[in-house]
Amino acid sequence: EVDWFSLVSILFLLAFAPLIVYYFIMSCDQYQCSLTNPVTDLLSGNQHLSDIWNKTPALTYKAAGIYAAWVAFQVVLYVFVPDFCHKFFPGYVGGVQEGAVTPAGVVNKYEINGLQAWIITHVLWFANAYYFHYFSPTIIFDNWIPFLWCANILGYVVSTFAMIKGYFFPTNAKDCKFTGNFFYDYMMGIEFNPRVGKWFDFKLFFNGRPGIVAWTLINLSYAAKQQELYGHVTNSMILVNVLQGIYVLDFFWNEAWYLKTIDICHDHFGWYLGWGDCVWLPYLYTLQGLYLVYHPVQLSTANAIGILVLGLVGYYVFRMTNHQKDLFRRTNGNCKIWGRKPDYIECSYVSVDGTKYYSKLLTSGFWGWARHFNYTGDLMGSLAYCLACGFEHILPYFYFVYMTVLLIHRCVRDEHRCYSKYGKDWKSYTAAVPYRLIPGLF
Ligand code: NDP
């Protein structure tokens, strides 16, 4: 059943999320990244909606061609180039890997080759920028709004296709979820793991590529634009490139681990993931770099070092917390966390078919500090990207606000699920670790 709050939120997002993205990008293009000036201009009658719209770059054949080539290239790297990185990089888990058990009991196999796709794409990018010069490294910035139309088209086509596929030719009919509410099903998805053929997995592809591979390229394009406009690249732009680059590389280095996260384990594939990965992620996660093209902030050395430290500590907390849980679960508790045997709470749950299973909830290490300390690290990193942009405008802070809302919502959603799953054992766990994100506060 879909409650009215979920339905209203879904209708709001379906109607307004594309406009929100447009508003942010247009504000930079036409108002130097001021979020308030477009509104005051409209309210005072200085501009009409049609004036803003008429100044917005249209979809071009050139942009459509580049975008199609980009997506096609990522499909080729994903489907046709088996992973070779795991043969060279010690400790890297790539190649064919198994995902988590789906609600219908299926264990999907995935070709984990995201790191390789990222490396190949970036090597080609740098080879072009420094040697071949086939296109300008500012190409992404220069076509940013025309690409927005292409990304929207892809996002809607993919989500609509996923919906139709869920009804008429699902990959696994038992893993489909129909609520009977068209909007909910369109937004949150019907199929759990839609695939075309044996290997093209929608969730893994759209989550990681083209969006996250593009993330670092988009930032590089912004840095190149700064160089073109001002003759130098500011330290804030370098910070944003480096910190977000670490986050992206971490994602691909741990792509196999990612198969066990909420996005892949619990979410179905609909507009939320399909459109979100094509439009929301590449456009709104990169706002800091875009902002810095219009406002080239040069930070004092002390501020730059402070932000770098915040970003790196945030990353460390994020990675170590995830690592501790992963190690604990993989070894069934036979491991060391911070040099000693971990503490945990034994828990059990009953699956739909009535079988009883046992599991463990870690209460040592960062997991003894708060129940979602990995989110806390993520938020510290997010704040660092935003702080690099100074305090003149609120636009670059959108990412931090958004991540805070997303991750708090996730805490609630996840805890609701865990409580339904573990019942009184979950209560014992929340009594042992009473805080969610910040020990002593929340
Ligand atoms: P978690 O990795 O925290 O996974 C939550 C699950 O872990 C729970 O459902 C439960 O599953 C299990 N669990 C909870 N507590 C414990 C415990 N104490 N010991 C052992 N297992 C436990 O959440 P996500 O998958 O959401 O996040 C993964 C990472 O991805 C996070 O670091 C997050 O910050 C990041 N992220 C980033 C986003 C972005 O857009 N940049 C978006 C979303 C996430 P079970 O049923 O197995 O018990």
Side-chain angles (χ1 to χ4, degrees):
E1 272 187 32
V2 181
D3 61 86
W4 68 267
F5 179 74
S6 304
L7 188 59
V8 170
S9 315
I10 281 166
L11 290 176
F12 174 83
L13 282 174
L14 282 173
F16 292 109
L19 285 178
I20 294 171
V21 178
Y22 170 74
Y23 189 82
F24 274 95
I25 304 305
M26 176 281 294
S27 298
C28 283
D29 188 43
Q30 298 184 26
Y31 288 90
Q32 295 283 309
C33 298
S34 164
L35 285 178
T36 47
N37 285 357
V39 178
T40 45
D41 245 10
L42 286 173
L43 290 179
S44 64
N46 260 352
Q47 295 273 312
H48 296 105
L49 277 178
S50 55
D51 299 325
I52 291 180
W53 184 248
N54 290 337
K55 278 192 255 165
T56 302
L59 176 61
T60 59
Y61 281 116
K62 182 181 163 204
I66 298 170
Y67 192 82
W70 159 253
V71 177
F73 181 55
Q74 290 306 315
V75 172
V76 168
L77 291 180
Y78 175 54
V79 179
F80 299 109
V81 191
D83 186 68
F84 58 80
C85 284
H86 68 280
K87 297 189 177 147
F88 299 105
F89 296 133
Y92 169 67
V93 181
V96 178
Q97 298 293 326
E98 287 187 347
V101 187
T102 70
V106 176
V107 177
N108 283 306
K109 283 193 163 40
Y110 296 84
E111 174 71 37
I112 298 296
N113 57 3
L115 181 67
Q116 172 174 286
W118 187 88
I119 292 173
I120 293 174
T121 307
H122 284 71
V123 165
L124 291 177
W125 175 272
F126 281 108
N128 173 72
Y130 288 102
Y131 187 70
F132 294 114
H133 307 295
Y134 288 142
F135 56 83
S136 162
T138 61
I139 190 169
I140 303 179
F141 177 88
D142 296 338
N143 291 280
W144 202 215
I145 295 185
F147 285 156
L148 176 62
W149 309 135
C150 304
N152 268 287
I153 293 169
L154 180 65
Y156 277 97
V157 167
V158 164
S159 318
T160 310
F161 177 75
M163 174 108 179
I164 296 170
K165 185 173 167 331
Y167 271 102
F168 297 107
F169 47 102
T171 304
N172 188 324
K174 285 190 182 157
D175 268 327
C176 288
K177 182 182 72 177
F178 296 95
T179 62
N181 184 301
F182 173 83
F183 295 108
Y184 186 93
D185 287 352
Y186 185 68
M187 169 108 179
M188 298 312 290
I190 291 174
E191 275 201 83
F192 196 57
N193 291 119
R195 285 188 169 203
V196 169
K198 195 173 167 205
W199 291 107
F200 189 85
D201 184 90
F202 277 53
K203 252 195 221 170
L204 191 67
F205 179 76
F206 283 102
N207 246 309
R209 325 58 168 300
I212 300 188
V213 176
W215 189 343
T216 33
L217 290 186
I218 294 165
N219 280 343
L220 286 170
S221 185
Y222 291 155
K225 195 68 195 180
Q226 259 200 353
Q227 177 71 39
E228 183 187 289
L229 290 174
Y230 312 108
H232 68 280
V233 178
T234 61
N235 58 3
S236 53
M237 179 67 94
I238 295 171
L239 265 178
V240 168
N241 267 265
V242 168
L243 290 176
Q244 296 191 346
I246 293 173
Y247 194 71
V248 166
L249 251 178
D250 174 275
F251 173 86
F252 286 117
W253 183 270
N254 295 292
E255 199 178 19
W257 157 83
Y258 182 70
L259 298 176
K260 309 281 161 73
T261 62
I262 290 179
D263 286 345
I264 299 273
C265 288
H266 304 302
D267 290 342
H268 289 238
F269 187 86
W271 185 87
Y272 168 72
L273 287 178
W275 180 87
D277 294 333
C278 291
V279 183
W280 189 267
L281 190 154
Y283 277 85
L284 297 189
Y285 284 27
T286 58
L287 278 178
Q288 291 84 26
L290 181 64
Y291 174 84
L292 291 171
V293 173
Y294 294 92
H295 300 270
V297 173
Q298 183 67 24
L299 298 161
S300 69
T301 310
N303 284 349
I305 291 175
I307 293 168
L308 180 66
V309 169
L310 175 69
L312 292 178
V313 170
Y315 169 71
Y316 175 79
V317 169
F318 160 82
R319 175 48 39 221
M320 281 315 291
T321 315
N322 286 322
H323 172 70
Q324 286 176 353
K325 187 187 81 173
D326 186 43
L327 178 71
F328 172 76
R329 279 282 170 93
R330 251 190 304 119
T331 58
N332 195 26
N334 294 315
C335 60
K336 287 205 168 158
I337 305 283
W338 288 348
R340 59 185 194 86
K341 280 199 86 54
D343 300 323
Y344 53 83
I345 287 185
E346 296 272 6
C347 50
S348 63
Y349 61 95
V350 179
S351 67
V352 205
D353 62 6
T355 318
K356 190 167 183 179
Y357 292 93
Y358 294 90
S359 188
K360 292 181 174 72
L361 292 165
L362 177 64
T363 55
S364 282
F366 286 127
W367 293 88
W369 290 14
R371 300 199 293 274
H372 303 274
F373 214 60
N374 47 350
Y375 293 174
T376 310
D378 214 345
L379 289 175
M380 288 163 73
S382 311
L383 183 61
Y385 315 153
C386 303
L387 288 173
C389 299
F391 297 105
E392 212 183 312
H393 284 275
I394 53 165
L395 179 134
Y397 286 83
F398 170 79
Y399 183 69
F400 179 66
V401 175
Y402 163 73
M403 283 300 282
T404 306
V405 174
L406 175 97
L407 293 177
I408 290 180
H409 178 248
R410 228 168 229 254
C411 286
V412 176
R413 198 157 66 108
D414 185 50
E415 298 211 349
H416 179 71
R417 196 190 68 81
C418 288
Y419 180 56
S420 324
K421 182 173 173 182
Y422 298 121
K424 65 173 178 33
D425 294 335
W426 184 257
K427 284 214 151 171
S428 315
Y429 171 60
T430 56
V433 187
Y435 293 101
R436 283 174 165 143
L437 290 177
I438 306 173
L441 265 184
F442 174 69

